Amino acid sequence: MEYIPIIVLVLSFIGLLSIGMPVAWSIAISSVLTMLVSIPALPAFTTVSQRMGTGLDSFALLAIPFFVLSGQLMNKGGIAHRLIAFAKTLVGSLPGGLALINVIGAMLMGAIAGSAMASASAMGSILGPEMEKEGYSREFGAAVNITSATTGLVIPPSNILIVYSLASGGVSIAALFLAGYIPGILTGLFLMLVASFWAKKKKYKVGKRSSLKQVLKAFIDAVPSLFLLVIVIGGIITGIFTATEASAIAVLYTLVLGFIYKEISFKSLPEILLDSSATTAVVMLLIGASMSMSWVMSYENIPQNISSTLLAISDNKIIILLLINLILLFVGIFMDMTPAVLIFTPIFLPVVTALGMDPIQFGIIMVLNLCIGLCTPPVGSVLFVGVGIAQTTIQKVVKPLLPMFLAMIVALFLVTYFPQLTLWLPSLFDL
């Protein structure tokens, strides 16, 4: 009997997704069906709807709409152009220079905006045509853009790390933000190595070396944009303000910067606000539905049953972590990142903590895992954005994507089995 709720939950969720039901509604309906196993219909519907409402009743979640808005303001406010110009002076003369610029630009953009979609959109539209003009294949450019855009979900500030903090029962957001730096940069470096090797093999054109004067000029132009990092992360770490307050400051800063750069006007603000509201609404609906499913799973003891099953398979930490990684990689292919974090954190966190893993490290592992899913069909939102901007097809992008996936998986397994890659920076600040 104890496995009936799990069977109902999994089969109803997969069945609803397979007939084209939106993810949020699939989660909510399968939660109700699972509750019907134990209680009558009226309490089941009432409980799930209440849990959707209370799941959104969190001060930390206020950071998400603000960071979404700051990402939109960055995208429209000329900040991406300046970050790309700075990256160009650093690596433009290396093999695959424009591809490396894409990776560094995405890492910088992600470190400020915290949005993979914003990064893929900005880098693809600005660098895509330039790469094609220099002889790079359209598909290679799209593959680099798609995979590098996800580094911004690990490098702070990151909305998904805030969601993980909520799902894990209050792991420090400041500690998670600091923990994301080394894994995010490591992933970016591996992507750069693969991109450089591929470009050398295909004999793509190499750019001219920038002079020290050009590097300094590009850096000075980019300083106001990069300073946002100092304000947001510095303020959170030193305790001057919370992550939510930092997100509001990020909006104010990027808005002022957009007006100073004369890339944003009062006329363009309504469109930016509407786009941000639409993105936020989708994310919040997913969070509400996922929180209800998390509660249902807890009520039916599903996490405990899965945990005991996993630990019964083996007590070897390496084997269990390998299994969890494989499951999350599979989940990421079919499920969006936000519900995946909210649903699977309560399931796997007790398992890894029983094995002695720090919840901070597991948060980064989970996000890195699901980043790969964003680049794969059928649910890969960043894949669709990157392919759409490059005006190519998924079938053509698959070949150059495969070595990029390999680079991301290598980074993931290093982070999984070497805890200090995530825990060193938080430990420096006693977080």
Side-chain angles (χ1 to χ4, degrees):
M1 279 293 287
E2 64 181 18
Y3 289 105
I4 290 175
I6 301 176
I7 294 165
V8 171
L9 185 72
V10 172
L11 291 181
S12 60
F13 181 63
I14 293 171
L16 289 164
L17 281 179
S18 65
I19 61 171
M21 181 74 71
V23 176
W25 297 116
S26 299
I27 292 168
I29 293 168
S30 56
S31 300
V32 171
L33 293 173
T34 307
M35 287 297 287
L36 289 173
V37 173
S38 306
I39 60 174
L42 185 60
F45 279 100
T46 306
T47 303
V48 170
S49 58
Q50 282 178 340
R51 291 294 157 181
M52 284 181 75
T54 55
L56 295 174
D57 185 17
S58 167
F59 180 68
L61 283 180
L62 273 176
I64 292 176
F66 284 122
F67 276 132
V68 167
L69 179 55
S70 69
Q72 287 281 356
L73 289 167
M74 276 191 60
N75 209 7
K76 307 280 186 183
I79 292 172
H81 286 276
R82 286 159 179 82
L83 294 177
I84 288 170
F86 175 50
K88 197 170 187 175
T89 61
L90 295 177
V91 293
S93 61
L94 297 174
L98 285 175
L100 305 187
I101 291 163
N102 195 320
V103 178
I104 291 179
M107 288 165 71
L108 292 172
M109 181 86 172
I112 298 169
S115 167
M117 302 281 277
S119 179
S121 177
M123 297 299 136
S125 54
I126 296 165
L127 275 174
E130 197 172 332
M131 289 179 80
E132 208 173 334
K133 203 186 298 177
E134 292 291 328
Y136 289 76
S137 78
R138 188 178 289 188
E139 290 70 35
F140 172 68
V144 172
N145 183 36
I146 289 160
T147 49
S148 62
T150 61
T151 56
L153 298 172
V154 188
I155 300 172
S158 167
N159 290 338
I160 200 65
L161 289 177
I162 296 169
V163 172
Y164 172 78
S165 171
L166 179 76
S168 62
V171 173
S172 165
I173 293 174
L176 285 167
F177 277 8
L178 275 178
Y181 274 112
I182 294 174
I185 292 167
L186 187 69
T187 305
L189 287 173
F190 280 131
L191 289 172
M192 288 170 73
L193 280 171
V194 171
S196 190
F197 177 78
W198 185 282
K200 207 168 183 180
K201 186 182 172 186
K202 298 287 183 180
K203 296 185 170 65
Y204 290 138
K205 191 177 174 182
V206 178
K208 292 179 183 177
R209 188 182 295 275
S210 299
S211 66
L212 183 61
K213 186 180 177 181
Q214 287 171 315
V215 174
L216 285 172
K217 185 181 181 303
F219 174 69
I220 291 165
D221 284 345
V223 160
S225 307
L226 295 169
F227 190 63
L228 179 60
L229 259 184
V230 179
I231 296 172
V232 171
I233 306 302
I236 294 170
I237 292 165
T238 54
I240 297 170
F241 39 70
T242 64
T244 306
E245 291 160 349
S247 65
I249 289 164
V251 169
L252 186 63
Y253 188 88
T254 49
L255 182 62
V256 170
L257 211 56
F259 278 115
I260 290 170
Y261 289 156
K262 296 180 181 176
E263 303 257 359
I264 292 176
S265 64
F266 285 107
K267 194 177 177 182
S268 63
L269 276 179
E271 186 189 347
I272 293 169
L273 291 168
L274 279 170
D275 288 346
S276 303
S277 301
T279 304
T280 302
V282 171
V283 172
M284 290 302 180
L285 180 59
L286 281 167
I287 289 173
S290 302
M291 290 300 285
S292 72
M293 183 181 270
S294 295
W295 186 88
V296 168
M297 289 194 301
S298 178
Y299 178 80
E300 299 288 357
N301 289 321
I302 291 172
Q304 292 89 330
N305 291 333
I306 294 174
S307 298
S308 57
T309 304
L310 273 174
L311 291 171
I313 292 169
S314 171
D315 58 358
N316 187 312
K317 186 176 179 178
I318 294 170
I319 299 294
I320 294 294
L321 290 177
L322 180 63
L323 275 173
I324 290 173
N325 272 323
L326 290 172
I327 292 167
L328 287 173
L329 284 168
F330 180 75
V331 165
I333 293 170
F334 298 101
M335 193 182 290
D336 195 52
M337 199 174 225
T338 301
V341 167
L342 288 164
I343 291 164
F344 288 92
T345 298
I347 292 173
F348 292 133
L349 189 58
V351 178
V352 297
T353 50
L355 294 170
M357 179 179 277
D358 194 296
I360 294 168
Q361 183 192 359
F362 182 65
I364 303 301
I365 290 169
M366 179 171 257
V367 172
L368 274 175
N369 252 301
L370 297 171
C371 280
I372 297 169
L374 290 177
C375 308
T376 58
V379 187
S381 51
V382 177
L383 172 68
F384 296 128
V385 169
V387 166
I389 287 170
Q391 295 180 341
T392 183
T393 63
I394 292 170
Q395 291 85 344
K396 289 179 180 176
V397 172
V398 166
K399 191 178 177 182
L401 264 179
L402 290 175
M404 300 287 177
F405 284 151
L406 186 62
M408 295 173 82
I409 289 168
V410 170
L412 167 64
F413 279 94
L414 284 174
V415 170
T416 301
Y417 295 111
F418 294 92
Q420 283 309 306
L421 289 172
T422 47
L423 301 178
W424 179 63
L425 275 178
S427 67
L428 279 183
F429 291 88
D430 295 321
L431 291 172

